[in-house]
Amino acid sequence: MKLLEKMISTQPIFDGRIIRVHVDEVSLPNGRTAQREVVNHPGGVGILAIDDDKNVLTVTQYRYVYRQTLLEIPAGKLESGEDPREAAKRELREETGAAASEWRSLGEIYPTPGFCDEIIRLYLARGLSYGEMAPDEDEFLDVRRLPFSVMVDMVLSGEITDGKTCVAILKAKLLLGL
Amino acid sequence: MKLLEKMISTQPIFDGRIIRVHVDEVSLPNGRTAQREVVNHPGGVGILAIDDDKNVLTVTQYRYVYRQTLLEIPAGKLESGEDPREAAKRELREETGAAASEWRSLGEIYPTPGFCDEIIRLYLARGLSYGEMAPDEDEFLDVRRLPFSVMVDMVLSGEITDGKTCVAILKAKLLLGL
């Protein structure tokens, strides 16, 4: 495999609650070496939950790194050893109070492959019923229902910027013809 | 703004060639505090370059964090103080040897807003002409032309996983009707 890069050594930098950071020395295809800054992430899930009236469950939350609120589909990190589909059910319930009777994969996205190994699994959830929300204690959310067609327009106009939300909405638009 | 989180203190962790890492203590809307692990990134660009025969310029490269090659649109990081559109022209030329006479924004994506402040600006480039490639010296790429319709199918089937590539292809499909 002529493009392969092989690890020569690794220098641990940080082992946090969410991310782990290290700097690796790698050998390049031409025999030279380079440094790669790497962020390890447990991976996550995003859930496009659409009700029988073609409304999408959205969460608006403050994203500290951008110093702004973002409108997104419900999402969250995998817990240690957790099955992604179970994580999706858990996050949908915790963030919106909803459960779904129909689940379908919308594939995986690799959000930023230059330095981070995060994988986000996307799901379509339909057949919704509603219970009690139970967000994490340091999580503050506004939950709203928005028409699917409005969400498509907001992605195409650039008003929705969250990557997983863009991919889930546009894939559903083209795959389901909604 | 009831969802606002305010920084109380910041602890620098790592100042690398590409990313900077710090852990911030923040005050939450309920008056309690929480820790936020933050990765600062200079931001990047992704270029959907489509020729007159509706072929897309793609680059396949080894993504060390995933230990696999990924098929992506040409992309790269902003250099210090660089205008994003100039960065897009530079990256397209460096990675594929191509120049474009027509440029159009396809919006921004926030790839992973839970911990990283990266913003990727997407561009559509048309009216292509070809010169010499000049990739970075630690960058190894396979450049290929693929029909736009094949790219759409590869995104919808889950074969293409790179987030910026998924968003650029699907936005172009719906905005341009290609």
Side-chain angles (χ1 to χ4, degrees):
Chain A
M1 234 312 282
K2 77 182 175 68
L3 297 174
L4 191 70
E5 297 179 2
K6 281 191 174 162
M7 184 180 74
I8 298 168
S9 64
T10 182
Q11 180 197 351
I13 302 286
F14 175 63
D15 193 356
R17 199 170 52 91
I18 299 168
I19 59 171
R20 207 161 57 84
V21 181
H22 48 104
V23 178
D24 292 6
E25 189 180 5
V26 302
S27 65
L28 299 175
N30 63 0
R32 296 172 73 160
T33 62
Q35 288 209 329
R36 297 284 178 245
E37 297 169 6
V38 178
V39 174
N40 295 131
H41 184 284
V45 292
I47 306 102
L48 178 60
I50 308 181
D51 70 17
D52 294 343
D53 299 319
K54 295 187 188 169
N55 293 305
V56 177
L57 291 182
T58 70
V59 295
T60 298
Q61 63 184 309
Y62 191 74
R63 289 304 202 172
Y64 175 71
V65 295
Y66 293 113
R67 303 295 194 275
Q68 65 179 261
T69 54
L70 294 186
L71 179 79
E72 306 173 32
I73 56 172
K77 289 178 295 295
L78 294 182
E79 292 175 356
S80 176
E82 189 177 28
D83 174 77
R85 196 167 293 221
E86 293 307 311
K89 292 178 183 175
R90 177 181 55 72
E91 288 288 351
L92 181 64
R93 187 180 63 246
E94 288 177 0
E95 292 197 347
T96 72
S101 59
E102 297 164 42
W103 288 85
R104 169 176 168 177
S105 171
L106 285 175
E108 296 180 345
I109 45 176
Y110 291 13
T112 183
F115 70 96
C116 178
D117 68 355
E118 181 177 6
I119 295 176
I120 303 173
R121 282 93 175 169
L122 297 175
Y123 295 94
L124 176 69
R126 305 206 68 174
L128 302 184
S129 55
Y130 296 95
E132 287 286 304
M133 287 170 59
D136 290 342
E137 65 166 21
D138 66 349
E139 197 172 46
F140 297 84
L141 304 166
D142 274 345
V143 179
R144 274 198 299 166
R145 270 177 259 207
L146 285 175
F148 181 78
S149 61
V150 169
M151 295 284 285
V152 173
D153 290 345
M154 290 172 79
V155 171
L156 293 180
S157 72
E159 193 176 345
I160 290 176
T161 53
D162 172 55
K164 64 182 172 299
T165 302
C166 292
V167 174
I169 290 287
L170 298 181
K171 273 194 173 181
K173 170 75 181 166
L174 288 164
L175 286 169
L176 307 176
L178 281 176
Chain B
M1 233 314 281
K2 76 179 175 72
L3 297 173
L4 191 69
E5 297 178 4
K6 280 191 175 163
M7 185 180 72
I8 298 168
S9 64
T10 183
Q11 180 197 349
I13 302 284
F14 175 65
D15 194 356
R17 200 170 51 92
I18 299 167
I19 60 171
R20 206 162 57 86
V21 180
H22 48 104
V23 177
D24 291 7
E25 190 180 5
V26 302
S27 65
L28 300 174
N30 63 0
R32 297 171 73 160
T33 62
Q35 288 208 328
R36 296 283 177 248
E37 297 168 6
V38 178
V39 174
N40 295 132
H41 184 282
V45 293
I47 306 103
L48 178 60
I50 307 181
D51 70 18
D52 293 344
D53 299 318
K54 296 187 188 167
N55 292 306
V56 177
L57 290 182
T58 70
V59 295
T60 298
Q61 65 184 306
Y62 191 76
R63 289 304 200 172
Y64 175 71
V65 295
Y66 293 113
R67 305 293 195 275
Q68 63 180 260
T69 54
L70 293 186
L71 179 79
E72 305 173 35
I73 56 173
K77 289 178 295 296
L78 294 182
E79 292 175 358
S80 177
E82 189 177 29
D83 174 76
R85 195 167 294 223
E86 293 307 312
K89 292 178 184 176
R90 177 181 53 73
E91 288 289 350
L92 182 64
R93 186 180 65 246
E94 288 177 0
E95 292 197 349
T96 72
S101 59
E102 299 165 41
W103 288 86
R104 169 177 169 179
S105 171
L106 286 174
E108 296 180 344
I109 46 176
Y110 292 14
T112 183
F115 70 94
C116 179
D117 69 354
E118 180 177 6
I119 296 176
I120 303 173
R121 283 92 174 171
L122 297 176
Y123 295 94
L124 177 69
R126 305 206 67 174
L128 303 183
S129 56
Y130 298 95
E132 286 286 305
M133 287 169 59
D136 290 342
E137 66 165 22
D138 66 349
E139 198 172 44
F140 298 84
L141 305 166
D142 273 346
V143 179
R144 274 198 299 167
R145 271 178 258 205
L146 285 174
F148 181 77
S149 61
V150 169
M151 296 283 285
V152 173
D153 290 344
M154 289 172 81
V155 171
L156 293 180
S157 71
E159 193 175 347
I160 290 177
T161 54
D162 173 55
K164 64 183 172 299
T165 302
C166 292
V167 174
I169 290 287
L170 298 180
K171 273 194 172 181
K173 170 75 181 167
L174 288 164
L175 286 169
L176 307 178
L178 281 176

